Amino acid sequence: MAQTTTDQAGETELISGGHLVAKALKAEGVDTIFTLCGGHIIDIYDGCVDEGIEVIDVRHEQVAAHAADGYARITGRPGCAVVTAGPGTTDAVTGVANAFRAESPMLLIGGQGALSQHKMGSLQDLPHVDMMNPITKFAATVPHTERVADMVSMAFRECFHGAPGPSFLEIPRDILDGSVPLAKARIPGAGGYRATTRSAGDPDAVEKLADLLVGAEKPCILLGSQTWTCRATDSAVQLVRELNLPAFCNGAGRGTLPPGDPLHFQLARRYAFDNADLIIILGTPFDFRMGYGRRLSPDATVVQIDLDYRTVGRNRDIDLGIVGDADAVLTALAQATSGRLDNGASGRKGWVQELREVETAAYEKRLPRQHSTASPIDPYRLVHEINEFLTEDSIYIGDGGDIVTFSGQVIQPKAPGHWMDPGPLGTLGVGVPFAMAAKHARPDQEVVCLFGDGAFSLTGWDFETMVRFGLPFVGIVGNNSSMNQIRYGQIAKYGEDRGRVGNTLGDVEYSKFAQMLGGYGEEVRDPEEIGPALRRARESGLPSLINVWVDPDVYAPGTMNQTMYK
């Protein structure tokens, strides 16, 4: 089918709904869709061919949605997944929900039976919009072919209102396949249908924060995921260094400061939160990861900066809240603290040294385990070897429970935007789709992904998609043949004799799985072989799985301190 056709009278240029979708995606800067085919949606593919949009077809719709989420995180542009009606759309629900909790802008387009067959029991007919409403910022049905491109742009506009997030559109088959006069279709132009969202916050509040910062003796800042979402890493580094401000990073904010930076701290966070007189929380909610705000000293002055007003002050009282874009707020804050005779930086040398001593002591305490020669392999040794393996260009992805909790203590990405994890929904199975999106978006960068064996099993068949599209990555399975994060909780709650109920997996040699699908694979049982195996995987130039057998009876501190077991 051509992009446009002419009616029988030869007078009117017509365009189909699928081609209108592709034009709207192109206007938004979308260059790739992730999809699993279905009869309801194929006209979108035809439009994508004409618009030069790449179609990456996967083996499960959950993977398509996760890949769209991952693509948005890497590029800063919205990701797009296209799935068929009914089970195609319900399979994608988990990926959309994960993007919703992680504040990731993506559009899911789902097929639907023809409007002419509404409520007649057409193939794969379900109330998709009703299901998607609670987990999206916008969900709607396209009612007419003339409105297709208009509503795609509307969905993208909502993705970026306040804190970003996903949108959903269902397009009935007769709307998508139908054609309308090109002159009647509204096709919003690139850059012409949504406003900037870069608010710098209330100027008076920014000035008040500047005063608090200058006067603080023991301040610290937590740089959360919105540091990366807002591409605020440069302004964050500038502020931290000018004010001699100790910084901690979490989520996608990891990598804002490089490892070894004198103001970058990782292991002294609890001490800082107990002893600081000013704590700035940037772009992260007071959710379970923050103990719902209870981990901050009640005596500290607490400031929260966030894109979403609903996040500010939720679960814990604060002394000052600023709603705005992280980059714009930090830039304004740096200006407000500049030019002062004393910005407080020199007076904080003792505080920085105090934190460094706590950090060093915690690091040295754990170091023997990072060099452990035990077999089965200590998970700390595995994540230490991965950390040593990463380069300046490596994008690290964590997909798992207990094993990835270990990695959060040790692995330090070397640049902004080089850390990916599911986010607060705690979704397993994001690893392969995130690796797919990251390698496709950044083909010149290395992608390294650590899986739990349970996590890999959820979406691992799309390893074949990585092979098919020539997307090499270094995958590592931390294999303990268990869903170990849950196992720990069951043992703690019910005792050892009931610790193996519903959480034990088979002893799978995932290297053979990789080899079967055309990738590279190795089995590792000796800790001394981890590094060499990782290097061989890198040199193979193929999607790879290094299956590392780790001790199933060792648990990460974060696993043992989970709030759901309290």
Side-chain angles (χ1 to χ4, degrees):
M1 181 179 181
Q3 177 180 344
T4 58
T5 59
T6 304
D7 69 5
Q8 291 182 348
E11 298 176 352
T12 305
E13 192 175 16
L14 303 177
I15 187 168
S16 74
H19 286 88
L20 285 169
V21 169
K23 282 186 173 294
L25 295 179
K26 188 79 169 183
E28 183 60 37
V30 173
D31 57 16
T32 304
I33 64 169
F34 300 91
T35 186
L36 197 158
C37 64
H40 293 87
I41 57 174
I42 56 176
D43 197 58
I44 295 176
Y45 298 170
D46 199 54
C48 286
V49 171
D50 285 350
E51 296 295 333
I53 296 171
E54 186 163 0
V55 177
I56 294 184
D57 53 305
V58 300
R59 289 176 169 268
H60 195 287
E61 290 90 353
Q62 181 180 347
V63 170
H66 283 321
D69 172 4
Y71 198 75
R73 300 190 197 199
I74 286 288
T75 65
R77 303 191 303 272
C80 182
V82 179
V83 298
T84 198
T89 298
T90 59
D91 277 352
V93 164
T94 296
V96 174
N98 193 69
F100 184 68
R101 284 293 304 272
E103 300 179 345
S104 184
M106 62 165 282
L107 172 62
L108 178 71
I109 297 175
Q112 179 58 288
L115 276 182
S116 61
Q117 298 164 350
H118 184 56
K119 296 295 185 182
M120 292 177 64
S122 63
L123 176 66
Q124 298 181 328
D125 180 20
L126 281 176
H128 306 125
V129 173
D130 292 342
M131 293 187 293
M132 290 292 184
N133 261 319
I135 56 170
T136 59
K137 302 192 71 180
F138 176 83
T141 302
V142 179
H144 195 282
T145 304
E146 291 178 5
R147 295 289 312 284
V148 168
D150 179 36
M151 292 198 70
V152 170
S153 63
M154 187 182 299
F156 281 131
R157 184 163 59 244
E158 294 296 334
C159 283
F160 290 97
H161 171 65
S167 288
F168 171 74
L169 279 181
E170 70 168 11
I171 310 180
R173 185 178 55 77
D174 49 357
I175 301 301
L176 195 61
D177 291 346
S179 295
V180 296
L182 182 60
K184 286 190 175 182
R186 169 167 160 72
I187 307 176
Y193 53 85
R194 58 184 173 90
T196 178
T197 57
R198 285 176 46 81
S199 166
D202 183 334
D204 290 340
V206 172
E207 285 290 339
K208 183 176 180 181
L209 177 53
D211 292 338
L212 289 171
L213 257 176
V214 169
E217 296 180 359
K218 294 186 173 184
C220 66
I221 187 168
L222 176 67
L223 301 171
S225 288
Q226 288 180 14
T227 312
W228 174 244
T229 301
C230 300
R231 301 304 190 261
T233 53
D234 288 346
S235 55
V237 171
Q238 178 186 354
L239 183 75
V240 163
R241 290 182 175 158
E242 288 182 355
L243 295 178
N244 203 22
L245 179 61
F248 299 86
C249 305
N250 75 348
R254 291 172 182 259
T256 299
L257 288 106
D261 188 288
L263 291 167
H264 175 215
F265 296 88
Q266 185 177 20
L267 305 178
R269 192 168 89 169
R270 176 172 292 182
Y271 183 90
F273 284 175
D274 283 344
N275 294 278
D277 57 6
L278 172 66
I279 303 172
I280 302 171
I281 304 296
L282 176 72
T284 202
F286 293 140
D287 61 14
F288 70 96
R289 296 168 298 178
M290 293 287 293
Y292 307 102
R294 293 191 291 269
R295 292 178 183 162
L296 309 183
S297 168
D299 299 321
T301 298
V302 176
V303 178
Q304 194 173 13
I305 303 168
D306 204 276
L307 283 165
D308 191 343
Y309 76 93
R310 293 169 298 182
T311 296
V312 176
R314 187 176 65 176
N315 296 331
R316 186 199 194 280
D317 289 351
I318 55 173
D319 296 281
L320 180 65
I322 299 176
V323 176
D325 175 271
D327 184 48
V329 172
L330 292 181
T331 300
L333 184 58
Q335 292 173 347
T337 57
S338 65
R340 305 197 183 202
L341 292 176
D342 181 8
N343 65 5
S346 60
R348 299 187 188 116
K349 292 179 181 178
W351 169 236
V352 172
Q353 180 60 32
E354 184 179 340
L355 289 177
R356 182 56 57 196
E357 290 171 1
V358 173
E359 182 89 7
T360 300
Y363 173 77
E364 290 178 348
K365 180 180 179 180
R366 197 186 58 211
L367 198 57
R369 290 190 59 186
Q370 290 183 212
H371 293 282
S372 169
T373 59
S375 181
I377 294 168
D378 190 314
Y380 271 123
R381 175 66 185 267
L382 171 58
V383 296
H384 169 80
E385 293 289 346
I386 294 172
N387 190 52
E388 294 295 304
F389 174 74
L390 297 180
T391 71
E392 298 292 330
D393 289 329
S394 300
I395 297 170
Y396 171 78
I397 300 165
D399 179 18
D402 190 58
I403 191 67
V404 172
T405 304
F406 276 107
S407 81
Q409 292 186 289
V410 175
I411 293 177
Q412 296 190 29
K414 295 176 173 57
H418 287 201
W419 174 282
M420 299 178 73
D421 61 31
L425 193 61
T427 306
L428 301 186
V430 301
V432 169
F434 277 12
M436 184 185 304
K439 190 62 181 178
H440 178 70
R442 299 286 182 264
D444 295 332
Q445 289 186 242
E446 179 177 70
V447 176
V448 179
C449 186
L450 173 62
F451 304 92
D453 53 319
F456 179 79
S457 303
L458 291 169
T459 55
W461 272 107
D462 268 285
F463 186 93
E464 185 275 334
T465 306
M466 304 286 285
V467 173
R468 181 162 30 102
F469 280 89
L471 299 171
F473 76 108
V474 178
I476 307 104
V477 180
N479 195 338
N480 52 28
S481 302
S482 305
M483 307 293 273
N484 234 27
Q485 202 159 63
I486 308 306
R487 179 174 164 238
Y488 171 80
Q490 288 174 268
I491 291 172
K493 195 170 184 178
Y494 305 112
E496 287 280 355
D497 60 330
R498 298 195 178 186
R500 280 289 185 187
V501 179
N503 58 37
T504 302
L505 308 173
D507 294 337
V508 178
E509 295 183 351
Y510 288 98
S511 63
K512 294 180 179 178
F513 181 83
Q515 294 163 7
M516 177 187 72
L517 295 176
Y520 181 83
E522 284 192 42
E523 297 291 311
V524 174
R525 296 182 183 275
D526 180 351
E528 299 298 329
E529 281 300 309
I530 298 171
L534 294 179
R535 291 189 287 274
R536 288 189 288 268
R538 171 185 283 156
E539 292 161 3
S540 75
L542 294 170
S544 65
L545 286 180
I546 305 302
N547 191 44
V548 182
W549 295 89
V550 297
D551 192 337
D553 296 318
V554 174
Y555 307 98
T559 291
M560 295 185 284
N561 290 322
Q562 286 183 90
T563 55
M564 69 178 179
Y565 297 133
K566 302 299 183 184

